Amino acid sequence: MAKPPATIGFVGDIHCGSHVGLWPVRDLPEDKTKYLGCRYLMQCWQHLVERWPKLDILILMGDLIDGKQRKSDGVGVFDTDLAAQADGAVEVLRPLAEKAGKIIRVWGTPYHESHDGILKIVDCKLGVAKTAQVIDLDLNGKTLNVAHHPASGAAIYAGTVADREVLWAKIAASDKKVPNPRWIVRAHKHNYILQDTEHATIVQMPCWQLPTAHAIKQNYWRFQPTLGGLLMLADGMEDSGYRFVCTKYDLPMPEVTPWQSL
């Protein structure tokens, strides 16, 4: 029997094309005082790629491109052409993909990734083995459930929503409607959460996009993302057989304007 994967990496919400997401450094202007946020993210990304071990599986967690940004008339993206954004995502992801034995991808938000299958460019050029909206992966008799979107619903405490998703997963599994998940991994919210119990672990992924103009308008204080990626590592000391390690990076501190400079 083949050994289950020992190292699984998760990255998502890289929003290639966004001025505050990941984008190939060579395609940025020569003036290094421009797009400082994107440059900072790429430095963190390159550090993660160098730091992470070889991966048995790399899971791409959705929103790999930023889309046409119709609501802002294309403002805030380097290129509204989705094929160009997909090619940018390929270039950004390739160094990490080369460290992976297999790659799978879950679908992101249609507003960003569109409905026309443009990410087939990513699948083809990176050799993605499987893609779906939700993927249940058997790991030595236990199920890893991955999808981009977490369960809907709001709460003051983010952990409440995560706990609710585990509860509904167990209810659906008890009715024999879905596989019973031991681990659940989600993206989309741009904030990191890990809740671990005897029966299930749920993780909400960090992201690779700084606060957008829309997020700042909605709530400057609340929408502060967690930057980074997630590893799932085989560990015989863990009851489930795996432990999660989040590689996180600090947000750049906003500039404080001296009143004397006004």
Side-chain angles (χ1 to χ4, degrees):
M1 180 182 295
K3 292 177 62 176
T7 54
I8 303 173
F10 304 79
V11 293
D13 290 293
I14 66 175
H15 290 272
C16 277
S18 168
H19 290 173
V20 288
L22 296 182
W23 192 244
V25 174
R26 71 178 186 186
D27 293 337
L28 295 175
E30 291 186 8
D31 184 351
K32 293 187 178 181
T33 65
K34 294 183 178 180
Y35 305 111
L36 293 178
C38 181
R39 293 179 192 276
Y40 172 74
L41 289 174
M42 285 302 298
Q43 290 174 359
C44 296
W45 175 258
Q46 289 160 9
H47 179 266
L48 177 136
V49 172
E50 293 169 2
R51 179 180 177 185
W52 271 15
K54 288 190 176 297
L55 304 171
D56 293 319
I57 301 175
L58 171 62
I59 302 181
L60 306 176
M61 291 295 295
D63 281 2
L64 304 185
I65 61 175
D66 205 46
K68 295 179 179 294
Q69 287 300 316
R70 299 181 301 277
K71 292 180 180 179
S72 61
D73 294 326
V75 174
V77 292
F78 291 106
D79 197 323
T80 57
D81 179 39
L82 297 185
Q85 291 189 14
D87 282 335
V90 168
E91 184 170 342
V92 167
L93 290 166
R94 181 172 280 126
L96 188 58
E98 289 174 348
K99 302 180 79 167
K102 292 186 181 295
I103 305 172
I104 61 179
R105 177 177 67 82
V106 295
W107 307 346
T109 306
Y111 179 76
H112 296 296
E113 293 192 349
S114 188
H115 293 279
D116 58 4
I118 195 67
L119 288 189
K120 290 179 181 178
I121 293 174
V122 174
D123 299 338
C124 180
K125 292 187 177 181
L126 295 184
V128 173
K130 180 179 178 62
T131 179
Q133 185 173 10
V134 181
I135 295 177
D136 288 301
L137 195 63
D138 178 29
L139 300 178
N140 209 25
K142 298 174 182 174
T143 301
L144 167 65
N145 175 273
V146 291
H148 177 76
H149 293 92
S152 59
I156 293 176
Y157 303 107
T160 302
V161 179
D163 188 60
R164 187 188 302 155
E165 177 144 14
V166 172
L167 175 63
W168 281 110
K170 295 301 181 181
I171 291 172
S174 69
D175 287 343
K176 301 188 184 326
K177 295 179 178 179
V178 298
N180 185 16
R182 180 58 185 80
W183 310 275
I184 299 171
V185 179
R186 297 291 184 264
H188 187 63
K189 293 287 190 178
H190 292 205
N191 285 115
Y192 173 65
I193 297 174
L194 185 148
Q195 287 189 177
D196 187 28
T197 70
E198 180 182 357
H199 304 292
T201 303
I202 183 165
V203 188
Q204 186 172 286
M205 289 279 300
C207 72
W208 290 95
Q209 188 179 42
L210 299 176
T212 63
H214 174 71
I216 292 170
K217 181 195 73 153
Q218 291 291 101
N219 192 323
Y220 175 67
W221 310 111
R222 185 173 184 182
F223 290 118
Q224 297 294 330
T226 309
L227 306 178
L230 184 71
L231 288 172
M232 184 177 180
L233 306 174
D235 188 341
M237 296 295 291
E238 292 285 340
D239 292 338
S240 72
Y242 286 90
R243 62 185 169 91
F244 287 95
V245 177
C246 186
T247 304
K248 299 186 289 291
Y249 296 92
D250 292 334
L251 283 171
M253 186 66 70
E255 181 183 1
V256 177
T257 304
W259 70 266
Q260 298 93 334
S261 67
L262 297 177

